């Protein structure tokens, strides 16, 4: 039996196996007008191909809870009913293929209002559909980024409610998993990290204060997300800074709090808070972070980062380092990775009827 292709049950939801798709922005939505943030035929084809390829769970790209929460001007969102209806079409198809549909809810904070990568990906202003960014403190992400406007406590409360509103729309669209994006230096991660958060009020300073916004978002989403469905949280386990940053010790401490607040799985990534940081990458380089959280808290975890081979993924699950693996660029290269991995590991997974002749 393959450990990778064993089902995983979280709350009352059973996910058919543990090879999942990580959120990856497609930068393919309209930047403005009535179709702003609305998933397109590109998004449908993109997600549908990975579902037909056997992926067990698909998490959407970072889906903004407000127009100002988008990473780029071409990101999708869930702040209105038009977006909800467009996602419903995608979700229905994924469900028909036996794939569990999940949504990643996000606010990009000081790293928002950028162009698409193939046009450089740099910050853009109102003349190119951009906007004023916000953050916990008026500190720019890099010399190339403008300083964000510091959020007031009232605005923080409004963003918490925006996360709850997006979760309600995600449920209406049929999603079965919600993930809160607290990683990669976006707004929630900015509040967590002392590198980006220099506030002196109840949302800054101590670990407890810097964690406050994240836990308020978790509580607001958990309050509207059904008890029978799981809630995930994505975190950067470390800022990769020698000082003045979020650390793996912080992640373990915070993971225990997340569990108490109703989070069912921690999606463990790293980095993104500080620019110009050298990260020692390599196959599975972030897996030890996930393994430590799982060992010290008992919270289920998903590992991500240069996981490309079936045997590698199998070892991560079989050894107990993680409960699932999230594949990113490898699934861009090979939408049917799960089917190929199952064949290599001697497992059987569902294949769409029109593709049975190739199984």
């Amino acid at each position: 039996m393959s450990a990778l292709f064993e089902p995983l049950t979280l709350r009352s939801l059973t996910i058919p196996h543990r090879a999942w798709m990580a959120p990856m922005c497609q930068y393919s939505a309209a930047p403005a007008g009535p179709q702003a943030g609305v998933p397109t035929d590109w998004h449908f084809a993109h997600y549908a191909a990975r579902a037909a390829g056997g992926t067990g769970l698909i998490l959407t790209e970072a889906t903004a809870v407000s127009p100002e929460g988008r990473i780029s001007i071409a990101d999708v969102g869930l702040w209105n009913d038009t977006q909800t209806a467009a996602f419903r079409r995608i979700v229905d198809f994924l469900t028909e293929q036996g794939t569990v549909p999940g949504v990643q809810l996000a606010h990009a904070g000081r790293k928002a209002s950028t162009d698409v990568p193939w046009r450089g990906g740099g910050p853009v202003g109102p003349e190119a559909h951009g906007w004023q960014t916000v953050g916990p403190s008026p500190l720019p992400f890099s010399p190339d980024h403008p300083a964000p406007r510091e959020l007031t406590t009232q605005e923080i409360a409004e963003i918490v409610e925006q996360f709850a509103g997006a979760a309600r729309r995600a449920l209406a669209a049929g999603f079965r998993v919600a993930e809160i994006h607290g990683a990669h230096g976006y707004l929630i991660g900015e509040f967590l990290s002392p590198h980006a958060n220099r506030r002196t009020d109840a949302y800054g300073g101590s670990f407890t204060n810097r964690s406050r916004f994240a836990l308020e978002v978790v509580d607001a989403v958990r309050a509207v997300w059904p008890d029978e469905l799981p809630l995930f949280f994505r975190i950067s386990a470390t800022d990769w800074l020698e000082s003045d940053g979020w650390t793996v010790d912080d992640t373990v401490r915070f993971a225990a709090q997340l569990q108490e607040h109703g989070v069912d799985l921690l999606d463990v990534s790293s980095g993104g808070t500080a620019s110009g940081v050298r990260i020692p990458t390599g196959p599975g380089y972030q897996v030890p972070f996930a393994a430590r959280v799982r060992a010290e808290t008992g919270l289920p975890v998903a590992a991500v980062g240069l996981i490309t081979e079936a045997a590698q993924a199998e070892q991560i699950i079989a050894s107990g380092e993680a409960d699932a693996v999230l594949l990113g660029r490898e699934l861009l290269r090979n939408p049917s990775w799960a089917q190929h991995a199952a064949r290599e590991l001697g497992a059987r997974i569902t294949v769409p009827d029109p593709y049975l002749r190739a199984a």
Side-chain angles (χ1 to χ4, degrees), residues 70-317:
R70 291 173 292 171
I71 300 169
S72 85
I73 58 175
D75 286 356
V76 297
L78 262 176
W79 65 80
N80 64 42
D81 293 341
T82 303
Q83 296 158 346
T84 304
F87 268 120
R88 165 63 77 173
R89 176 183 175 226
I90 295 170
V91 167
D92 285 349
F93 185 85
L94 267 56
T95 303
E96 289 169 3
Q97 308 314 308
T99 295
V100 173
V103 63
Q104 185 188 70
L105 303 176
H107 192 299
R110 67 178 185 171
K111 294 175 72 174
S113 190
T114 60
D115 206 346
V116 299
W118 46 90
R119 291 200 296 260
V124 296
E127 73 286 350
H129 306 296
W131 56 90
Q132 169 68 61
T133 59
V134 297
S137 302
L139 304 171
F141 168 65
S142 76
D144 297 330
H145 282 69
R149 181 176 54 78
E150 181 171 311
L151 288 164
T152 67
T153 54
Q154 177 59 37
E155 289 171 327
I156 291 170
E158 291 169 358
I159 292 174
V160 170
E161 181 51 39
Q162 288 170 352
F163 271 93
R168 291 187 191 96
R169 294 184 188 94
L171 186 63
F175 284 104
R176 307 297 288 167
V177 170
E179 175 173 275
I180 296 168
H181 196 354
H184 301 158
Y186 299 121
L187 187 61
I188 293 175
E190 291 164 19
F191 271 88
L192 291 173
S193 174
H195 179 77
N197 184 349
R198 305 294 173 84
R199 298 176 74 98
T200 57
D201 63 3
Y203 290 94
S206 68
F207 175 91
T208 297
N209 285 357
R210 287 183 284 108
S211 303
R212 191 181 309 278
F213 173 56
L215 294 177
E216 287 179 351
V217 171
V218 169
D219 289 344
V221 172
R222 186 74 267 180
V224 302
W225 197 246
D227 287 343
E228 66 270 17
L229 295 179
L231 176 63
F232 295 1
F233 190 99
R234 184 167 233 197
I235 197 164
S236 283
T238 173
D239 289 339
W240 295 102
L241 296 171
E242 293 184 3
S243 62
D244 195 32
W246 183 263
T247 68
V248 183
D249 289 342
D250 292 329
T251 294
V252 173
R253 179 180 176 185
F254 187 54
Q257 292 182 325
L258 289 173
Q259 194 169 25
E260 293 172 358
H261 284 255
V263 168
D264 302 289
L265 180 140
L266 193 66
D267 172 358
V268 185
S269 187
S270 71
T273 302
S275 65
V277 177
R278 296 179 65 89
I279 299 175
T281 62
Y285 70 103
Q286 295 172 146
V287 174
F289 303 144
R292 183 177 165 191
V293 169
R294 190 176 190 267
E296 295 188 25
T297 70
L299 180 65
V301 298
V304 63
L306 291 178
I307 298 171
T308 59
E309 304 296 331
Q312 175 194 20
E314 175 74 11
Q315 175 61 25
I316 291 168
I317 304 302

Side-chain angles (χ1 to χ4, degrees), residues 20-27 42 45-47 49-50 55 59 61 118 307-308 326-338:
W20 302 348
M21 179 172 163
M24 290 177 285
C25 289
Q26 295 298 294
Y27 311 103
W42 173 265
H46 169 66
Y47 293 119
R50 278 81 196 162
T55 308
L59 288 167
E61 62 193 87
W118 46 90
I307 298 171
T308 59
L326 285 156
L327 293 94
R329 291 173 176 84
E330 190 62 22
L331 274 172
L332 296 184
R333 291 185 282 267
N334 180 5
S336 297
W337 187 93

